Amino acid sequence: QVQLVESGGGLVQAGGSLRLSCAASEGTFSNYAMGWFRQGPGKEREFVAAITWTGRSTSYADSVKGRFTISRDNAKNTLYLHMNELRPEDMAVYYCAAGRQYSASTNRYLYWGQGTQVTVSS
């Protein structure tokens, strides 16, 4: 079983930046593709970004492309999401996830963190 713990959320003014982190339990982190998803108030969970096992390839939702960057440090068993130019519509609970497939689909991931809240004020 892979345990995932997100951190780095908080309150930020529109136009500001945050870096989210997702710490994974030791052992098999490098064997998994990783993704970030978010769920805003009254909305379904949606894809944000994904990264392959090695970090060689990444993908992004159109809504965050050019503003967010996903990365991973396998030596530290940690996944990151760098968020720039934040907008009020980015306000959501952000979740990291691990799976055997590199995908934008929620159901392709096996393990999930508990989420971290990002609040954007205007």
Side-chain angles (χ1 to χ4, degrees), residues 11-60:
L11 175 64
V12 64
Q13 187 172 297
S17 300
L18 282 175
R19 187 189 74 169
L20 305 184
S21 298
C22 173
S25 57
E26 294 183 7
T28 60
F29 177 75
S30 62
N31 293 332
Y32 292 92
M34 300 292 295
W36 285 100
F37 295 79
R38 67 187 182 186
Q39 187 166 16
K43 297 181 179 180
E44 296 182 7
R45 191 168 299 185
E46 66 176 355
F47 169 74
V48 176
I51 189 167
T52 54
W53 295 0
T54 63
R56 190 79 176 261
S57 298
T58 59
S59 62
Y60 298 90

Side-chain angles (χ1 to χ4, degrees), residues 8-114:
L11 175 64
V12 64
Q13 187 172 297
S17 300
L18 282 175
R19 187 189 74 169
L20 305 184
S21 298
C22 173
S25 57
E26 294 183 7
T28 60
F29 177 75
S30 62
N31 293 332
Y32 292 92
M34 300 292 295
W36 285 100
F37 295 79
R38 67 187 182 186
Q39 187 166 16
K43 297 181 179 180
E44 296 182 7
R45 191 168 299 185
E46 66 176 355
F47 169 74
V48 176
I51 189 167
T52 54
W53 295 0
T54 63
R56 190 79 176 261
S57 298
T58 59
S59 62
Y60 298 90
D62 288 342
S63 60
V64 306
K65 190 157 47 182
R67 299 188 298 120
F68 291 10
T69 302
I70 187 172
S71 62
R72 67 191 297 165
D73 187 338
N74 287 348
K76 296 181 178 180
N77 297 321
T78 303
L79 176 74
Y80 302 98
L81 184 68
H82 298 261
M83 305 184 294
N84 298 314
E85 303 172 37
L86 283 161
R87 306 165 180 170
E89 53 262 42
D90 295 319
M91 183 171 64
V93 177
Y94 283 71
Y95 301 88
C96 66
R100 293 295 187 182
Q101 306 292 327
Y102 173 60
S103 176
S105 298
T106 302
N107 60 12
R108 300 291 186 177
Y109 292 86
L110 301 175
Y111 307 105
W112 295 82
Q114 293 300 304

